[in-house]
Coordinates of all heavy atoms in Angstrom, one line a residue:
M9 N 27.5 -20.8 124.6 CA 27.4 -20.4 126.0 C 26.3 -21.4 126.6 O 25.2 -21.5 126.0 CB 26.9 -19.0 126.1 CG 26.9 -18.5 127.5 SD 26.3 -16.8 127.6 CE 27.8 -15.9 127.3
S10 N 26.6 -22.0 127.7 CA 25.6 -22.9 128.3 C 24.7 -22.2 129.3 O 25.2 -21.3 130.0 CB 26.3 -24.1 129.0 OG 27.0 -23.6 130.1
Q11 N 23.5 -22.6 129.3 CA 22.6 -21.9 130.2 C 22.4 -22.8 131.4 O 22.1 -24.0 131.3 CB 21.2 -21.7 129.5 CG 20.2 -20.9 130.3 CD 19.0 -20.7 129.5 OE1 18.8 -21.2 128.4 NE2 18.1 -19.8 130.0
Q12 N 22.6 -22.2 132.6 CA 22.5 -23.0 133.8 C 21.0 -22.8 134.4 O 20.5 -21.8 134.3 CB 23.4 -22.5 134.9 CG 24.9 -22.8 134.5 CD 25.8 -22.3 135.6 OE1 25.4 -21.6 136.5 NE2 27.1 -22.7 135.5
T13 N 20.5 -23.9 134.8 CA 19.2 -23.9 135.4 C 19.3 -24.0 136.9 O 20.3 -24.6 137.4 CB 18.3 -25.0 134.9 OG1 18.9 -26.3 135.2 CG2 18.0 -24.9 133.4
Y14 N 18.4 -23.4 137.6 CA 18.4 -23.4 139.1 C 17.8 -24.7 139.6 O 16.7 -25.1 139.2 CB 17.6 -22.2 139.6 CG 17.5 -22.3 141.1 CD1 18.6 -22.0 141.9 CD2 16.3 -22.6 141.7 CE1 18.5 -22.0 143.3 CE2 16.2 -22.6 143.1 CZ 17.3 -22.3 143.9 OH 17.2 -22.3 145.2
D15 N 18.5 -25.4 140.4 CA 18.0 -26.7 141.0 C 17.8 -26.4 142.5 O 18.8 -26.2 143.2 CB 19.1 -27.8 140.8 CG 18.6 -29.1 141.3 OD1 17.5 -29.2 141.8 OD2 19.4 -30.1 141.2
P16 N 16.6 -26.4 143.0 CA 16.3 -26.0 144.4 C 17.0 -27.0 145.3 O 17.2 -26.6 146.5 CB 14.8 -26.0 144.5 CG 14.3 -26.8 143.3 CD 15.4 -26.7 142.2
R17 N 17.2 -28.2 144.9 CA 17.9 -29.2 145.8 C 19.3 -28.8 146.0 O 19.9 -29.1 147.1 CB 17.7 -30.6 145.3 CG 16.3 -31.1 145.3 CD 16.1 -32.4 144.6 NE 16.3 -32.1 143.1 CZ 16.5 -33.0 142.2 NH1 16.6 -34.2 142.5 NH2 16.7 -32.6 140.9
R18 N 20.0 -28.3 145.0 CA 21.4 -28.0 145.1 C 21.7 -26.6 145.7 O 22.6 -26.3 146.4 CB 22.1 -28.1 143.8 CG 22.4 -29.5 143.4 CD 23.2 -29.6 142.2 NE 24.2 -28.6 142.0 CZ 24.7 -28.1 140.9 NH1 24.2 -28.6 139.8 NH2 25.6 -27.2 140.8
G19 N 20.8 -25.6 145.3 CA 21.0 -24.2 145.7 C 22.1 -23.6 144.8 O 22.6 -24.2 143.9
N20 N 22.4 -22.3 145.0 CA 23.3 -21.6 144.2 C 24.5 -21.1 145.0 O 25.3 -20.4 144.4 CB 22.7 -20.5 143.4 CG 22.1 -19.5 144.4 OD1 22.1 -19.6 145.6 ND2 21.4 -18.4 143.8
G21 N 24.7 -21.5 146.2 CA 25.8 -21.1 147.0 C 25.5 -19.9 147.8 O 26.0 -19.8 149.0
A22 N 24.8 -18.9 147.3 CA 24.6 -17.7 148.1 C 23.7 -18.0 149.3 O 23.8 -17.4 150.3 CB 23.9 -16.6 147.2
G23 N 22.7 -18.8 149.1 CA 21.8 -19.2 150.2 C 22.6 -20.0 151.3 O 22.3 -19.8 152.4
Q24 N 23.5 -20.7 150.9 CA 24.3 -21.5 151.9 C 25.2 -20.5 152.7 O 25.3 -20.7 153.9 CB 25.2 -22.5 151.2 CG 24.4 -23.6 150.6 CD 25.2 -24.6 149.7 OE1 26.3 -24.2 149.3 NE2 24.6 -25.7 149.3
R25 N 25.7 -19.5 152.1 CA 26.5 -18.5 152.8 C 25.6 -17.8 153.7 O 26.0 -17.5 154.9 CB 27.3 -17.6 151.8 CG 28.5 -18.2 151.2 CD 29.3 -17.1 150.5 NE 28.5 -16.5 149.5 CZ 28.4 -16.9 148.2 NH1 29.0 -18.0 147.8 NH2 27.8 -16.2 147.3
R26 N 24.5 -17.3 153.3 CA 23.5 -16.6 154.1 C 23.1 -17.4 155.3 O 23.0 -17.0 156.4 CB 22.3 -16.1 153.3 CG 21.4 -15.2 154.1 CD 20.3 -14.7 153.3 NE 19.5 -15.7 152.6 CZ 19.1 -15.7 151.4 NH1 19.4 -14.7 150.6 NH2 18.4 -16.7 150.9
Q27 N 22.8 -18.7 155.0 CA 22.4 -19.6 156.1 C 23.5 -19.8 157.1 O 23.2 -19.8 158.3 CB 22.0 -20.9 155.5 CG 21.3 -21.8 156.5 CD 20.8 -23.1 155.9 OE1 21.4 -23.6 154.9 NE2 19.7 -23.6 156.3
A28 N 24.7 -19.9 156.7 CA 25.9 -20.0 157.6 C 26.0 -18.8 158.5 O 26.2 -18.9 159.7 CB 27.1 -20.3 156.9
T29 N 25.9 -17.6 157.9 CA 26.0 -16.4 158.8 C 24.7 -16.2 159.6 O 24.8 -15.7 160.7 CB 26.2 -15.1 157.9 OG1 25.1 -15.0 157.0 CG2 27.5 -15.2 157.1
G30 N 23.6 -16.7 159.2 CA 22.4 -16.7 160.0 C 22.5 -17.6 161.2 O 22.1 -17.3 162.3
R31 N 23.2 -18.7 161.0 CA 23.4 -19.6 162.2 C 24.4 -19.0 163.2 O 24.3 -19.3 164.4 CB 23.9 -20.9 161.7 CG 22.9 -21.8 160.9 CD 23.5 -23.1 160.5 NE 22.4 -23.8 159.8 CZ 22.7 -24.8 159.0 NH1 24.0 -25.2 158.8 NH2 21.8 -25.4 158.3
A32 N 25.2 -18.1 162.8 CA 26.2 -17.5 163.7 C 25.4 -16.6 164.7 O 25.9 -16.5 165.8 CB 27.2 -16.7 162.9
W33 N 24.3 -16.1 164.3 CA 23.5 -15.3 165.3 C 23.1 -16.1 166.4 O 22.9 -15.6 167.5 CB 22.3 -14.7 164.6 CG 22.6 -13.5 163.7 CD1 22.7 -13.5 162.3 CD2 22.9 -12.2 164.1 NE1 23.1 -12.3 161.9 CE2 23.2 -11.5 163.0 CE3 23.0 -11.6 165.4 CZ2 23.6 -10.1 163.0 CZ3 23.3 -10.2 165.4 CH2 23.6 -9.5 164.3
Y34 N 22.9 -17.4 166.3 CA 22.4 -18.3 167.4 C 23.5 -18.4 168.5 O 23.2 -18.8 169.6 CB 22.0 -19.6 166.9 CG 20.8 -19.6 166.0 CD1 20.8 -19.8 164.7 CD2 19.5 -19.4 166.6 CE1 19.7 -19.7 163.9 CE2 18.4 -19.3 165.9 CZ 18.5 -19.5 164.5 OH 17.3 -19.5 163.8
L35 N 24.7 -18.0 168.2 CA 25.8 -18.1 169.2 C 25.5 -17.0 170.3 O 26.0 -17.1 171.4 CB 27.1 -17.8 168.5 CG 27.6 -19.0 167.7 CD1 29.0 -18.6 167.0 CD2 27.8 -20.2 168.5
L36 N 24.7 -16.0 169.9 CA 24.4 -15.0 170.9 C 23.6 -15.6 172.1 O 23.6 -15.1 173.2 CB 23.5 -13.9 170.3 CG 24.3 -12.8 169.6 CD1 23.3 -11.8 169.0 CD2 25.2 -12.1 170.5
L37 N 22.9 -16.7 171.9 CA 22.2 -17.4 172.9 C 23.1 -17.9 174.0 O 22.7 -18.1 175.2 CB 21.4 -18.5 172.4 CG 20.2 -18.2 171.5 CD1 19.6 -19.4 170.9 CD2 19.2 -17.4 172.4
L38 N 24.4 -18.0 173.7 CA 25.4 -18.5 174.7 C 25.6 -17.4 175.8 O 26.0 -17.7 176.9 CB 26.7 -18.9 174.1 CG 26.6 -20.1 173.2 CD1 28.0 -20.3 172.5 CD2 26.3 -21.3 174.0
V39 N 25.4 -16.1 175.4 CA 25.7 -15.0 176.4 C 24.8 -15.1 177.6 O 25.4 -15.2 178.7 CB 25.6 -13.7 175.7 CG1 25.7 -12.5 176.6 CG2 26.6 -13.5 174.5
P40 N 23.5 -15.2 177.5 CA 22.7 -15.3 178.7 C 22.9 -16.6 179.4 O 22.8 -16.7 180.6 CB 21.3 -15.1 178.3 CG 21.3 -15.0 176.8 CD 22.7 -14.9 176.3
M41 N 23.1 -17.6 178.6 CA 23.3 -19.0 179.3 C 24.6 -19.0 180.1 O 24.5 -19.4 181.3 CB 23.4 -20.0 178.2 CG 23.4 -21.4 178.8 SD 23.3 -22.7 177.5 CE 25.0 -22.8 177.0
I42 N 25.7 -18.5 179.6 CA 26.9 -18.5 180.4 C 26.8 -17.5 181.6 O 27.3 -17.8 182.7 CB 28.1 -18.1 179.5 CG1 28.4 -19.2 178.5 CG2 29.3 -17.8 180.3 CD1 29.4 -18.9 177.4
G43 N 26.1 -16.4 181.4 CA 26.0 -15.4 182.4 C 25.2 -15.9 183.6 O 25.3 -15.4 184.7
T44 N 24.3 -16.9 183.4 CA 23.5 -17.4 184.5 C 23.9 -18.7 185.0 O 23.5 -19.2 186.1 CB 22.0 -17.5 184.1 OG1 21.9 -18.3 182.9 CG2 21.4 -16.1 183.8
L45 N 24.8 -19.4 184.3 CA 25.2 -20.8 184.7 C 26.5 -20.8 185.4 O 27.1 -21.9 185.6 CB 25.2 -21.7 183.5 CG 23.9 -22.1 182.9 CD1 24.1 -23.0 181.7 CD2 23.0 -22.8 183.9
I46 N 27.1 -19.7 185.8 CA 28.3 -19.6 186.6 C 28.0 -18.9 187.9 O 28.3 -17.8 188.1 CB 29.4 -18.9 185.8 CG1 29.6 -19.6 184.4 CG2 30.7 -18.9 186.5 CD1 30.6 -18.8 183.5
P47 N 27.5 -19.7 188.9 CA 27.1 -19.1 190.1 C 28.2 -18.4 190.9 O 27.9 -17.4 191.6 CB 26.5 -20.3 190.9 CG 26.1 -21.3 189.9 CD 27.1 -21.1 188.8
P48 N 29.4 -18.8 190.9 CA 30.4 -18.0 191.6 C 30.5 -16.6 191.2 O 31.0 -15.7 192.0 CB 31.8 -18.7 191.3 CG 31.4 -20.1 191.0 CD 30.0 -20.0 190.3
V49 N 30.1 -16.2 190.0 CA 30.1 -14.8 189.6 C 29.1 -14.0 190.4 O 29.3 -12.9 190.8 CB 29.8 -14.7 188.1 CG1 29.5 -13.3 187.7 CG2 30.8 -15.4 187.3
Y50 N 27.9 -14.5 190.7 CA 26.8 -13.8 191.3 C 26.4 -14.3 192.7 O 25.4 -13.8 193.2 CB 25.6 -13.7 190.4 CG 25.1 -15.0 189.9 CD1 24.1 -15.6 190.7 CD2 25.5 -15.6 188.7 CE1 23.6 -16.8 190.2 CE2 25.0 -16.8 188.3 CZ 24.0 -17.4 189.1 OH 23.5 -18.6 188.7
N51 N 27.1 -15.2 193.2 CA 26.7 -15.8 194.5 C 27.2 -14.9 195.7 O 28.1 -15.3 196.5 CB 27.3 -17.2 194.6 CG 26.7 -18.0 195.8 OD1 25.7 -17.6 196.4 ND2 27.3 -19.1 196.2
T52 N 26.6 -13.8 195.8 CA 26.9 -12.9 196.9 C 25.7 -12.0 197.2 O 24.8 -11.9 196.4 CB 28.1 -12.0 196.5 OG1 28.4 -11.1 197.6 CG2 27.9 -11.2 195.2
N53 N 25.7 -11.4 198.4 CA 24.6 -10.5 198.8 C 24.9 -9.1 198.4 O 24.0 -8.3 198.2 CB 24.3 -10.6 200.3 CG 23.6 -11.9 200.6 OD1 22.9 -12.4 199.8 ND2 23.9 -12.4 201.8
D54 N 26.1 -8.7 198.4 CA 26.5 -7.3 198.1 C 27.0 -7.2 196.6 O 27.6 -8.1 196.1 CB 27.6 -6.8 199.0 CG 27.1 -6.8 200.4 OD1 26.0 -6.4 200.6 OD2 27.9 -7.1 201.3
P55 N 26.7 -6.1 195.9 CA 26.0 -4.9 196.3 C 24.4 -5.2 196.3 O 24.0 -6.0 195.4 CB 26.4 -3.9 195.3 CG 26.7 -4.7 194.1 CD 27.2 -6.0 194.6
T56 N 23.7 -4.4 197.1 CA 22.3 -4.5 197.0 C 21.7 -3.4 196.2 O 22.4 -2.3 196.0 CB 21.7 -4.4 198.4 OG1 22.0 -3.2 199.0 CG2 22.1 -5.6 199.3
L57 N 20.6 -3.6 195.6 CA 19.9 -2.6 194.8 C 18.5 -2.4 195.4 O 17.7 -3.3 195.4 CB 19.8 -3.1 193.3 CG 19.1 -2.1 192.4 CD1 20.0 -0.9 192.2 CD2 18.9 -2.8 191.0
I58 N 18.3 -1.3 196.0 CA 17.1 -0.9 196.7 C 16.7 -2.1 197.7 O 15.5 -2.4 197.8 CB 15.9 -0.5 195.8 CG1 15.6 -1.6 194.8 CG2 16.2 0.8 195.2 CD1 14.3 -1.3 194.0
G59 N 17.7 -2.6 198.4 CA 17.4 -3.6 199.4 C 17.4 -5.1 198.8 O 17.2 -6.0 199.6
I60 N 17.5 -5.2 197.5 CA 17.5 -6.6 196.9 C 18.9 -7.1 196.8 O 19.8 -6.4 196.2 CB 16.8 -6.5 195.5 CG1 15.4 -6.0 195.7 CG2 16.8 -7.9 194.9 CD1 14.7 -5.7 194.3
P61 N 19.2 -8.3 197.3 CA 20.6 -8.8 197.2 C 21.0 -9.0 195.7 O 20.2 -9.2 194.8 CB 20.5 -10.1 197.9 CG 19.3 -10.1 198.8 CD 18.4 -9.1 198.1
F62 N 22.3 -8.9 195.5 CA 22.9 -9.0 194.2 C 22.4 -10.3 193.5 O 22.2 -10.2 192.3 CB 24.4 -8.9 194.3 CG 25.1 -9.0 192.9 CD1 25.0 -8.0 192.0 CD2 25.8 -10.2 192.6 CE1 25.7 -8.1 190.8 CE2 26.5 -10.3 191.4 CZ 26.4 -9.2 190.5
F63 N 22.4 -11.4 194.2 CA 22.0 -12.6 193.6 C 20.7 -12.6 192.8 O 20.6 -13.0 191.7 CB 21.9 -13.7 194.7 CG 21.5 -15.1 194.3 CD1 22.4 -15.9 193.8 CD2 20.2 -15.5 194.3 CE1 22.1 -17.2 193.3 CE2 19.8 -16.7 193.9 CZ 20.8 -17.6 193.4
Y64 N 19.7 -11.9 193.4 CA 18.4 -11.8 192.8 C 18.3 -10.8 191.7 O 17.8 -11.1 190.6 CB 17.3 -11.5 193.8 CG 17.2 -12.6 194.9 CD1 17.5 -12.4 196.2 CD2 16.6 -13.8 194.5 CE1 17.4 -13.4 197.1 CE2 16.4 -14.8 195.4 CZ 16.8 -14.7 196.7 OH 16.7 -15.7 197.6
W65 N 18.9 -9.6 191.9 CA 18.7 -8.7 190.8 C 19.6 -8.9 189.6 O 19.3 -8.6 188.5 CB 18.8 -7.2 191.3 CG 20.1 -6.7 191.8 CD1 20.5 -6.6 193.1 CD2 21.2 -6.2 191.1 NE1 21.7 -6.0 193.2 CE2 22.2 -5.8 192.0 CE3 21.5 -6.0 189.7 CZ2 23.4 -5.2 191.5 CZ3 22.7 -5.5 189.3 CH2 23.6 -5.1 190.2
Y66 N 20.7 -9.6 189.9 CA 21.6 -10.0 188.8 C 20.9 -11.0 187.8 O 20.8 -10.9 186.6 CB 22.9 -10.7 189.3 CG 23.8 -11.2 188.2 CD1 24.7 -10.4 187.5 CD2 23.8 -12.6 187.9 CE1 25.5 -10.9 186.5 CE2 24.6 -13.1 186.9 CZ 25.5 -12.2 186.2 OH 26.3 -12.7 185.2
L67 N 20.2 -12.0 188.5 CA 19.5 -13.0 187.7 C 18.3 -12.4 187.0 O 18.0 -12.7 185.8 CB 19.1 -14.2 188.5 CG 20.2 -15.1 189.0 CD1 19.7 -16.2 189.9 CD2 20.9 -15.7 187.8
L68 N 17.6 -11.5 187.7 CA 16.4 -10.9 187.1 C 16.8 -9.9 185.9 O 16.1 -9.7 185.0 CB 15.6 -10.1 188.1 CG 14.8 -11.0 189.0 CD1 14.1 -10.2 190.1 CD2 13.7 -11.8 188.2
A69 N 18.0 -9.4 186.0 CA 18.5 -8.5 184.9 C 18.7 -9.2 183.6 O 18.7 -8.7 182.6 CB 19.8 -7.8 185.4
W70 N 19.0 -10.5 183.7 CA 19.2 -11.3 182.5 C 17.9 -11.6 181.8 O 18.0 -11.9 180.6 CB 19.9 -12.7 182.9 CG 21.3 -12.5 183.0 CD1 22.0 -12.5 184.2 CD2 22.3 -12.3 182.0 NE1 23.4 -12.3 184.0 CE2 23.6 -12.2 182.6 CE3 22.2 -12.2 180.6 CZ2 24.7 -12.0 181.9 CZ3 23.4 -12.0 179.9 CH2 24.6 -11.9 180.5
V71 N 16.8 -11.4 182.4 CA 15.5 -11.6 181.7 C 15.3 -10.6 180.5 O 15.2 -11.1 179.4 CB 14.3 -11.6 182.7 CG1 13.0 -11.6 181.9 CG2 14.4 -12.7 183.7
P72 N 15.4 -9.3 180.7 CA 15.3 -8.4 179.6 C 16.5 -8.6 178.6 O 16.3 -8.4 177.4 CB 15.3 -7.0 180.2 CG 15.7 -7.1 181.6 CD 15.5 -8.6 182.0
V73 N 17.7 -8.9 179.1 CA 18.8 -9.1 178.2 C 18.5 -10.3 177.3 O 18.8 -10.2 176.1 CB 20.1 -9.3 179.0 CG1 21.3 -9.7 178.1 CG2 20.5 -8.0 179.7
T74 N 18.0 -11.3 177.8 CA 17.7 -12.5 177.0 C 16.6 -12.2 176.0 O 16.7 -12.7 174.9 CB 17.3 -13.7 177.9 OG1 18.3 -13.9 178.9 CG2 17.0 -14.9 177.1
V75 N 15.6 -11.4 176.4 CA 14.6 -11.0 175.5 C 15.2 -10.2 174.3 O 14.8 -10.5 173.1 CB 13.5 -10.2 176.2 CG1 12.5 -9.5 175.2 CG2 12.7 -11.0 177.1
V76 N 16.1 -9.3 174.6 CA 16.7 -8.5 173.5 C 17.5 -9.4 172.6 O 17.4 -9.3 171.4 CB 17.6 -7.4 174.1 CG1 18.4 -6.7 173.1 CG2 16.7 -6.4 174.8
V77 N 18.2 -10.3 173.1 CA 19.0 -11.3 172.3 C 18.1 -12.1 171.4 O 18.4 -12.3 170.3 CB 19.9 -12.2 173.2 CG1 20.5 -13.4 172.5 CG2 21.0 -11.4 173.9
M78 N 17.0 -12.6 172.0 CA 16.1 -13.4 171.2 C 15.4 -12.6 170.1 O 15.2 -13.1 169.0 CB 15.1 -14.1 172.1 CG 15.7 -15.1 173.0 SD 14.6 -16.0 174.1 CE 13.9 -17.1 172.9
V79 N 15.1 -11.3 170.4 CA 14.5 -10.5 169.3 C 15.5 -10.3 168.2 O 15.2 -10.3 167.0 CB 14.0 -9.2 169.9 CG1 13.7 -8.1 168.8 CG2 12.8 -9.4 170.8
L80 N 16.8 -10.0 168.6 CA 17.8 -9.8 167.6 C 18.0 -11.0 166.7 O 18.0 -10.9 165.5 CB 19.1 -9.4 168.2 CG 19.3 -8.0 168.8 CD1 20.6 -7.9 169.5 CD2 19.3 -7.0 167.6
I81 N 18.0 -12.2 167.3 CA 18.2 -13.4 166.6 C 17.0 -13.6 165.6 O 17.1 -14.0 164.5 CB 18.4 -14.6 167.5 CG1 19.7 -14.5 168.2 CG2 18.3 -15.9 166.8 CD1 19.9 -15.5 169.3
S82 N 15.8 -13.4 166.1 CA 14.6 -13.5 165.3 C 14.6 -12.6 164.1 O 14.2 -13.0 163.0 CB 13.4 -13.3 166.2 OG 12.2 -13.3 165.5
R83 N 15.0 -11.4 164.3 CA 15.0 -10.4 163.2 C 16.1 -10.8 162.2 O 15.8 -10.7 161.0 CB 15.3 -9.0 163.7 CG 14.3 -8.4 164.7 CD 13.1 -7.9 163.9 NE 12.0 -7.6 164.8 CZ 11.6 -6.4 165.1 NH1 12.3 -5.3 164.7 NH2 10.6 -6.2 165.9
F84 N 17.2 -11.1 162.6 CA 18.3 -11.4 161.6 C 18.3 -12.7 161.0 O 19.0 -13.0 160.0 CB 19.7 -11.1 162.3 CG 20.0 -9.7 162.5 CD1 20.0 -9.1 163.8 CD2 20.2 -8.8 161.5 CE1 20.2 -7.8 164.0 CE2 20.4 -7.5 161.7 CZ 20.5 -7.0 162.9
T85 N 17.5 -13.6 161.5 CA 17.4 -15.0 160.9 C 16.0 -15.2 160.3 O 15.8 -16.4 159.9 CB 17.7 -16.1 162.0 OG1 16.8 -16.0 163.0 CG2 19.1 -15.9 162.5
A86 N 15.2 -14.2 160.2 CA 13.8 -14.4 159.7 C 13.8 -14.9 158.3 O 13.0 -15.7 157.9 CB 13.0 -13.1 159.9
D87 N 14.7 -14.4 157.4 CA 14.7 -14.8 156.0 C 15.4 -16.1 155.8 O 15.5 -16.6 154.7 CB 15.4 -13.7 155.2 CG 16.7 -13.3 155.6 OD1 17.0 -13.4 156.8 OD2 17.5 -12.8 154.8
D88 N 16.0 -16.8 156.9 CA 16.6 -18.1 156.7 C 15.5 -19.2 156.8 O 15.8 -20.3 156.5 CB 17.6 -18.3 157.8 CG 18.8 -17.5 157.7 OD1 19.0 -16.9 156.6 OD2 19.6 -17.4 158.6
E89 N 14.3 -18.8 157.2 CA 13.2 -19.8 157.3 C 12.9 -20.4 155.9 O 12.9 -19.6 154.9 CB 12.0 -19.2 157.9 CG 12.2 -18.6 159.3 CD 12.3 -19.7 160.4 OE1 11.7 -20.7 160.2 OE2 13.1 -19.5 161.3
P90 N 12.6 -21.6 155.8 CA 12.2 -22.2 154.5 C 10.8 -21.7 154.0 O 10.0 -21.4 154.7 CB 12.2 -23.7 154.7 CG 12.3 -23.9 156.2 CD 12.7 -22.7 156.8

């Protein structure tokens, strides 16, 4: 029976799979980017929210959504750091 040694330069495959799934979390960053980069979706005054036109409150609503997305990515990819 041959004994295999761990070579940190090659890895053992499990780390590569974990890193690939960890990178998939970064696709969540596309959600706020797409939501804010398509002006025809939100280029209107109606509906208003407490007197604020839709254009403004739609864009401001993306701020907490982006924070939540970034926290999720940070939590789920923390062990991918070298």
